[in-house]
Amino acid sequence: MLNHTEVSEFILLGLTDIQGLQYFFFILFLLLYLTSVLGNGVIVIMVISQPRLHTPMYFFLGNLSCLDIFYSTVTVPKMLTGFLFGRQPISFGGCLAQLYFFHFLGSTEAVLLAIMAYDRYVAICNPLCYTLVMNPRTCLLLAMTSWFLGFAHAMMHSIMTSQLSFCGHKHIHHFFCDIKPLLNLACSSTSLNMALLNVVTTSIALGPFILIILSYLYIIIFLFQKVRSQEGRWKPFSTCASHLTVVALLYIPLFFNYTPPSSSRSSKRDMQVSIMYSAITPALNPLIYTLRNKEVRSTLNNTLGRRL
């Protein structure tokens, strides 16, 4: 594959060049990153080590926590370095690698959230068939499918971006290498890249979201038709509260940034929205699942109690 570039490196301009804000942001995002790595790491360890959590729901939660650890690691450490030392150079290959892993992990998470919604649908609407439908082999295949779709989606964008020519401008108005900021710097035609971004990326985001909405619509219809008591309706739906919160935290900024991808929008606004799903959401996810899920909370308390 030939690389038609004349620019060997780019400069990431970061969130701000105001020194006082840089130190504040460094502390803030360092705390968020540590929360993400430690919180999600604890969930992964619990899911692996605790037999009571060896169920489809927690298998997918373990995958989600792994994704969040890697997802924040793709962008936040480079951003933290920028806060300390100013504008950060990044090689063309490093830029493509960051773009690839960001979209690989992000796409995988979007598909995985749809699979988790389907898991809740089967558990609530077909409880007698749950263990048969969501058997270990099926769960593994579903998880592998989410990772494969993310891999294919990211590979497509990485290959297409590597074919562009960059001749002159190398300052990226962002804290990481994303597709749209790179397309703005290209001096060759980006019409095919934009078409793929509009069609494929929107489909990767919108497809799982529609499946999530349908799953919860079926759950709501089932509960209102089959369950008579108010308490009986709320109890199964309360198990979905953590998942719905995580879906909202990911999809609201995601749709704002990529659906539809508009080159006319402020790059600064895009960058601010990107912070939500690249740094803040991975840190909040373990807190949401720990605080709102009694089983995870109970297992964590028991684990900590034994070690103390």
Side-chain angles (χ1 to χ4, degrees), residues 1 13 22 33 57 64 74 91 114 118 161 240 242 249 265 275 281:
M1 186 184 298
L13 299 182
Q22 286 178 333
Y33 180 63
M57 176 181 173
L64 181 66
V74 168
S91 67
Y118 174 72
T161 305
C240 307
S242 299
L249 285 172
R265 272 208 311 259
I275 293 170
T281 300

Side-chain angles (χ1 to χ4, degrees), residues 266-304:
S266 165
S267 59
K268 189 173 182 179
R269 201 138 133 227
D270 283 351
M271 183 167 55
Q272 291 168 348
V273 173
S274 299
I275 293 170
M276 184 66 190
Y277 54 78
S278 63
I280 299 175
T281 300
L284 292 179
N285 285 354
L287 297 176
I288 291 166
Y289 273 102
T290 303
L291 294 175
R292 299 192 64 94
N293 190 300
K294 290 181 180 178
E295 198 164 8
V296 172
R297 198 164 62 241
S298 172
T299 304
L300 181 60
N301 289 335
N302 292 338
T303 304
L304 293 175

Side-chain angles (χ1 to χ4, degrees), residues 42-103:
V42 167
I43 289 178
V44 171
I45 291 169
M46 282 197 304
V47 169
I48 293 172
S49 64
Q50 297 298 321
R52 66 187 290 191
L53 298 183
H54 292 175
T55 64
M57 176 181 173
Y58 294 107
F59 170 72
F60 295 129
L61 176 58
N63 275 263
L64 181 66
S65 294
C66 277
L67 283 170
D68 281 337
I69 292 171
F70 297 135
Y71 199 37
S72 56
T73 301
V74 168
T75 57
V76 177
K78 190 73 174 175
M79 179 170 60
L80 292 174
T81 307
F83 290 141
L84 289 180
F85 302 108
R87 299 176 177 183
Q88 284 297 296
I90 184 170
S91 67
F92 182 75
C95 193
L96 281 181
Q98 193 177 50
L99 181 152
Y100 169 78
F101 282 108
F102 181 80
H103 284 274

Side-chain angles (χ1 to χ4, degrees), residues 11-17 86-88 171-175:
I11 306 294
L12 296 171
L13 299 182
L15 287 176
T16 180
D17 55 3
R87 299 176 177 183
Q88 284 297 296
H171 290 85
I172 299 176
H173 293 274
H174 216 301
F175 59 90

Side-chain angles (χ1 to χ4, degrees), residues 113-301:
L113 286 173
I115 292 170
M116 293 173 77
Y118 174 72
D119 172 70
R120 291 298 82 209
Y121 158 73
V122 177
I124 293 171
C125 300
N126 297 287
L128 297 178
C129 300
Y130 181 65
T131 54
L132 181 64
V133 175
M134 302 301 291
N135 59 70
R137 184 173 179 273
T138 301
C139 291
L140 183 61
L141 285 173
L142 288 171
M144 288 175 64
T145 299
S146 68
W147 288 86
F148 174 76
L149 288 174
F151 165 82
H153 174 245
M155 184 60 72
M156 175 198 71
H157 281 304
S158 298
I159 291 173
M160 292 304 299
T161 305
S162 71
Q163 301 303 299
L164 296 174
S165 295
F166 298 91
C167 41
H169 300 291
K170 61 179 184 177
H171 290 85
I172 299 176
H173 293 274
H174 216 301
F175 59 90
F176 72 96
C177 289
D178 201 4
I179 295 172
K180 285 191 288 181
L182 281 174
L183 295 185
N184 291 335
L185 296 181
C187 55
S188 55
S189 174
T190 60
S191 56
L192 180 56
N193 300 71
M194 284 303 300
L196 290 171
L197 192 60
N198 277 307
V199 177
V200 181
T201 302
T202 301
S203 300
I204 283 286
L206 201 57
F209 184 71
I210 291 172
L211 291 176
I212 292 169
I213 296 297
L214 288 175
S215 296
Y216 281 109
L217 279 176
Y218 277 115
I219 289 172
I220 292 168
I221 292 169
F222 173 82
L223 292 177
F224 275 92
Q225 286 183 345
K226 303 294 183 181
V227 182
R228 299 302 174 190
S229 68
Q230 194 74 20
E231 185 181 349
R233 289 172 181 171
W234 173 247
K235 189 175 179 181
F237 196 73
S238 64
T239 63
C240 307
S242 299
H243 179 256
L244 281 171
T245 306
V246 170
V247 167
L249 285 172
L250 176 70
Y251 271 99
I252 290 173
L254 189 68
F255 281 137
F256 190 92
N257 237 16
Y258 291 104
T259 315
S262 171
S263 58
S264 63
R265 272 208 311 259
S266 165
S267 59
K268 189 173 182 179
R269 201 138 133 227
D270 283 351
M271 183 167 55
Q272 291 168 348
V273 173
S274 299
I275 293 170
M276 184 66 190
Y277 54 78
S278 63
I280 299 175
T281 300
L284 292 179
N285 285 354
L287 297 176
I288 291 166
Y289 273 102
T290 303
L291 294 175
R292 299 192 64 94
N293 190 300
K294 290 181 180 178
E295 198 164 8
V296 172
R297 198 164 62 241
S298 172
T299 304
L300 181 60
N301 289 335

